[in-house]
Amino acid sequence: MTEGEKTRLIAWSRELRAVHERLREALHVTREALAAGAPAGEVSRDLLLFCHGFCTALTGHHEGEDRRLFPAIAAAHPELADTLRYLEQDHSTMNHLIGGLQKALGANAPPDELERHLDGLGAIMESHFAYEERQLLSVLETLKLRADPAEVLGPL
């Protein structure tokens, strides 16, 4: 294996960690927009923008994993089928929570309700990221997947 090939292989683990950090930051910025927002009953334009961006980025990340990354891992490591299935279930749960947050935003829910939505989504996101990194980072260091990182891990 050449140094270039090794660098590209290891880069998948770095890419995953970097995407997780960017999603954490997007959640943080969304929380800041909520904290700085208008009084109850009025959702600020900034909050709508940040929530939309965060939700879109998180959904795109999980869709990329489900469509490209997890099938490549399953092909190379069939023993990880249960782990991948668990991670996909988390993706489904987070999609449900994202839908609840978007519905609350559309209904001009008060800030405390929006905060509860962000708390729930943030908690499962952190748990999911920690589990995914524990289970997959070493696998990603040897995964032979030639693809655009934005296709595999989302456009963020």
Side-chain angles (χ1 to χ4, degrees), residues 88-132:
E88 288 170 343
Q89 287 172 344
D90 273 1
H91 292 175
S92 177
T93 299
M94 282 186 270
N95 281 340
H96 175 74
L97 294 173
I98 287 169
L101 172 60
Q102 291 172 328
K103 184 176 177 183
L105 282 165
N108 286 321
D112 62 324
E113 182 180 335
L114 296 174
E115 181 126 1
R116 284 193 301 273
H117 283 282
L118 290 173
D119 286 346
L121 187 54
I124 193 166
M125 187 180 89
E126 280 302 323
S127 171
H128 172 80
F129 287 174
Y131 179 77
E132 185 172 61

Side-chain angles (χ1 to χ4, degrees), residues 70 73-74 77-88:
F70 291 174
I73 292 171
H77 297 276
E79 72 278 7
L80 292 175
D82 289 341
T83 297
L84 297 173
R85 196 170 16 265
Y86 177 80
L87 290 168
E88 288 170 343

